[in-house]
Amino acid sequence: MSFWDGLRRGRAAQFESGSAATNAIALTKRHPVVSLNRQGAATGNLRVNLSWRMRTSDIEGRSRQSGLLRHPFKMFKPDVVQAHTQGVVNVDLDIGCLYELTDGAKGVVQPLGSFFGNLNAPPYVKLSGDDRFGAPSGETIYVNLDHRESIRRLLVFVYIYDQTPAFDRTHAKVTLYPSNGPRIEIELDERAPQARSCAVFSLENVKGELTVRREVKFVYGFQAELDRLFGWGLQWGRGYKSKVGDR
């Protein structure tokens, strides 16, 4: 076995093991499901964070290619990771959550319409706020799993509010931080240039077992289309955000 074969195999093993090297579980098409119960993480507050940045190829574009021709040694320098700001990319990614409780109650938690939810009362889902300017912390939803017996299913989604579709220009990631065990990462790495919404993952309570399933299904409409796709049955109308600073 050559040195390069060993290197490639080592990287593959590290990627597949995931949690050993990075203390994270990556949900992929090949491995889309994880049980929170088996991770010992079915209690406490589950933190769900959305973050994104501009793809480096779009930030630097042709200027980097021409720069490499003039300065070939720049290819050995790592790319500078630039934050996602309105000055860089004209897009406002929002996170939301459709919920269905065991008593039959259904609804949505999202910035649009100022449906910020409640952590200690139904629906036991709370949005921390609305990031409109690409802060490094992104947007976060909290789920109170101490009331898991009241939660039947959740669907966490991401959508682009009132801007040009740009999922293909952003590198977005949703990360789940359970109260115990490794974090769970879901990359929105499929190119869907005209999509406006994406169902990221579902969380289902089946006989007390909480299962997280990677969905990553892009649609060309908004919440109503996600509703139809997953059979929620809500009535939707045009919604608007409050002005910055209002709540």
Side-chain angles (χ1 to χ4, degrees), residues 100-131:
E100 180 179 358
L101 304 182
T102 54
D103 65 1
K106 298 179 181 180
V108 65
V109 172
Q110 62 179 19
L112 195 61
S114 298
F115 295 109
F116 290 98
N118 194 310
L119 192 61
N120 298 309
Y124 308 108
V125 179
K126 173 74 174 177
L127 178 65
S128 64
D130 179 16
D131 168 31

Side-chain angles (χ1 to χ4, degrees), residues 193-214:
Q194 298 303 315
R196 287 191 172 273
S197 307
C198 178
V200 182
F201 74 88
S202 57
L203 187 153
E204 289 189 286
N205 184 350
V206 181
K207 296 181 179 179
E209 182 169 8
L210 298 180
T211 301
V212 175
R213 176 180 296 276
R214 176 191 184 272

Side-chain angles (χ1 to χ4, degrees), residues 7-8 11 14 17 22-23 41-42 46 51-52 74 86 100 102 115 124 139 161 167 169 186 191 207 231-232 237 244:
L7 183 60
R8 283 195 294 269
R11 286 179 176 174
Q14 183 183 42
S17 62
T22 64
N23 197 33
L46 172 67
S51 61
W52 78 92
K74 282 188 176 181
Q86 285 189 334
E100 180 179 358
T102 54
F115 295 109
Y124 308 108
E139 293 188 0
Y161 173 73
F167 274 113
R169 292 163 51 211
I186 304 172
R191 294 299 182 102
K207 296 181 179 179
W232 234 266
V244 176

Side-chain angles (χ1 to χ4, degrees), residues 161-194:
Y161 173 73
D162 200 27
Q163 298 288 350
T164 303
F167 274 113
D168 63 325
R169 292 163 51 211
T170 58
H171 181 83
K173 178 170 68 174
V174 171
T175 306
L176 290 73
Y177 297 90
S179 60
N180 185 52
R183 67 184 184 273
I184 302 167
E185 298 178 343
I186 304 172
E187 302 272 358
L188 277 62
D189 51 3
E190 298 176 19
R191 294 299 182 102
Q194 298 303 315

Side-chain angles (χ1 to χ4, degrees), residues 1-142:
M1 181 178 66
S2 69
F3 168 77
W4 293 110
D5 288 337
L7 183 60
R8 283 195 294 269
R9 289 186 182 182
R11 286 179 176 174
Q14 183 183 42
F15 175 78
E16 290 173 0
S17 62
S19 59
T22 64
N23 197 33
I25 296 173
L27 294 188
T28 63
K29 285 183 177 180
R30 188 174 179 181
H31 301 288
V33 180
V34 64
S35 168
L36 293 183
N37 296 63
R38 296 177 186 177
Q39 302 294 325
T43 59
N45 289 336
L46 172 67
R47 180 163 60 98
V48 181
N49 178 257
L50 164 69
S51 61
W52 78 92
R53 60 178 171 81
M54 187 85 168
R55 293 182 186 272
T56 54
S57 59
D58 294 320
I59 293 173
E60 298 179 351
R62 295 181 181 180
S63 61
R64 175 168 174 80
Q65 296 178 6
S66 59
L68 289 177
L69 292 177
R70 292 193 300 268
H71 306 285
F73 288 102
K74 282 188 176 181
M75 67 181 295
F76 297 107
K77 296 181 63 178
D79 291 336
V80 176
V81 177
Q82 301 193 25
H84 46 280
T85 66
Q86 285 189 334
V88 175
V89 56
N90 188 29
V91 63
D92 180 10
L93 289 183
D94 285 329
I95 190 171
C97 178
L98 287 169
Y99 63 83
E100 180 179 358
L101 304 182
T102 54
D103 65 1
K106 298 179 181 180
V108 65
V109 172
Q110 62 179 19
L112 195 61
S114 298
F115 295 109
F116 290 98
N118 194 310
L119 192 61
N120 298 309
Y124 308 108
V125 179
K126 173 74 174 177
L127 178 65
S128 64
D130 179 16
D131 168 31
R132 304 189 190 185
F133 304 105
S137 59
E139 293 188 0
T140 300
I141 281 178
Y142 294 90

